Amino acid sequence: MSERLQPGDPAPEFTLPDADGNEISLAAYRGRKVIVYFYPAALTPGCTKQACDFTDNLDLLAEAGYDVIGVSPDKPEKLAKFRDKESLKVTLVGDPSKEVLTAYGAFGEKKLYGKTVTGVIRSTVVVDENGKVERALYNVKATGHVAKIIKDLGI
């Protein structure tokens, strides 16, 4: 099981392909706060709800100085289909190797319908302007999570 991040930890650097195959790097966001959220799979009900919630609140988050990046183990082609089908405005990147998911503590053992399985742990990490972890939330719910983040961040 990967280690969970704590406030003050340096956020693991990453460069991953987005839905169009362009490289997206965390380092490119220095000077802005970034909400990096990890979700199991594009085009599934819970992940769609969460991505739509982030899209609906993107302007509010941007005004408060936050960018949003969604990370899943999906390939760019599936991310593009997800973005287009749901009219998503959030930056979606794919981590098929699960290296970034693991580095962020968002991949490992979890309970699913009473069974222990290995997979993506729905998580959100808020990274500050200097690349440090401001908050790390694990095992979050897809529904209502964005509203909770907005409230917790005082936006």
Side-chain angles (χ1 to χ4, degrees):
M1 178 120 164
S2 50
E3 290 294 311
R4 293 189 167 184
L5 298 174
Q6 300 296 323
D9 287 349
E13 287 297 336
F14 63 81
T15 301
L16 294 169
D18 71 4
D20 297 314
N22 300 315
E23 297 285 308
I24 302 295
S25 170
L26 182 63
Y29 289 87
R30 277 299 173 276
R32 282 187 64 81
K33 294 185 178 200
V34 187
I35 297 169
V36 185
Y37 80 97
F38 301 89
Y39 63 99
L43 300 166
T44 58
C47 298
T48 297
K49 172 78 178 117
Q50 189 177 20
C52 288
D53 281 354
F54 271 117
T55 291
D56 292 346
N57 289 286
L58 209 53
D59 290 343
L60 178 70
L61 290 165
E63 284 169 24
Y66 291 90
D67 290 313
V68 180
I69 301 172
V71 182
S72 73
D74 298 307
K75 290 186 164 60
E77 302 78 36
K78 187 173 180 189
L79 295 175
K81 194 172 169 185
F82 184 37
R83 177 195 61 201
D84 297 345
K85 180 175 189 264
E86 302 298 337
S87 303
L88 300 174
K89 293 183 177 67
V90 179
T91 300
L92 300 173
V93 298
D95 179 24
S97 71
K98 302 177 186 73
E99 285 177 29
V100 175
L101 286 155
T102 301
Y104 275 80
F107 188 82
E109 284 189 358
K110 63 180 184 174
K111 291 272 189 225
L112 190 66
Y113 306 115
K115 290 190 167 117
T116 301
V117 298
T118 300
V120 176
I121 299 162
R122 193 181 300 277
S123 311
T124 300
V125 176
V126 179
V127 180
D128 72 13
E129 303 91 340
N130 302 311
K132 297 263 190 239
V133 174
E134 191 176 292
R135 302 168 185 257
L137 309 162
Y138 294 93
N139 294 309
V140 301
K141 301 275 180 242
T143 305
H145 179 60
V146 176
K148 182 181 180 337
I149 290 173
I150 288 168
K151 182 174 175 259
D152 290 352
L153 293 174
I155 299 171

